[in-house]
Amino acid sequence: MTIPTICGDKITLRPFRARDVDPLFDSLGDPESNRLTGTHAAFTREQVERYVANFATDDSRAGFVIADSASDDLAPLGEVLLFDIDTDNRNAWFRIAMFGMGQVNKGYGTEAMRMILRYGFETLNLHRIALEVYAFNPRAIHVYEKVGFQREGVLRDLLFYDGAFHDAIGMAILEDDWRALQDG
């Protein structure tokens, strides 16, 4: 899948580049980011290199770097992607992660979500985009709801982290929901 560059107000969504490996790899060592995403695994630099390289050939996902539009080289701030894209049923899963907690609460994630939802519904012709978020992440839940995701259910005790079980909340936005927000 050819990933376009999409320009927004504060950010640009752009394809991954080889030089994005280091910021992504470094972010995977952030304990708070790992907790919020439920990440148990430790990743090698080689695994991250393969992950970045695979975006060029994997039609089941559309991955973008969230880049700072104000920087000359579109410095990476995070990543946002649609994955497990099912063109027959017109649905996909959604994920977003900022490269370190220093990038949160600046509006980058909200803008990136709105941009990738537009891409998913208008360009990829999706009907449904879904996600799972851990119940202990109210900031993310608030932003997901702000851009139109609706709660669909709770997956009880899905994650075992820091010695305790945690629920995940299933959320989704449908094409009609998204279009209504655009018209409103």
Side-chain angles (χ1 to χ4, degrees), residues 74-93:
L74 295 175
L77 303 169
E79 70 171 334
V80 62
L81 62 145
L82 298 171
F83 63 99
D84 290 343
I85 297 170
D86 179 346
T87 55
D88 292 330
N89 294 302
R90 296 180 51 209
N91 64 58
W93 287 88

Side-chain angles (χ1 to χ4, degrees), residues 1 59-64 81-95 113 115-131 149 172-179:
M1 176 179 304
D59 286 341
S60 71
R61 58 187 178 152
F64 296 86
L81 62 145
L82 298 171
F83 63 99
D84 290 343
I85 297 170
D86 179 346
T87 55
D88 292 330
N89 294 302
R90 296 180 51 209
N91 64 58
W93 287 88
F94 169 85
R95 184 176 80 220
M113 282 187 267
M115 292 167 70
I116 200 163
L117 289 174
R118 177 178 301 278
Y119 178 77
F121 291 125
E122 291 185 358
T123 303
L124 299 180
N125 193 34
L126 295 174
H127 176 72
R128 181 177 192 276
I129 299 174
L131 63 87
F149 282 90
I173 182 170
L174 301 179
E175 177 183 19
D176 296 340
D177 302 331
W178 180 79
R179 292 201 188 286

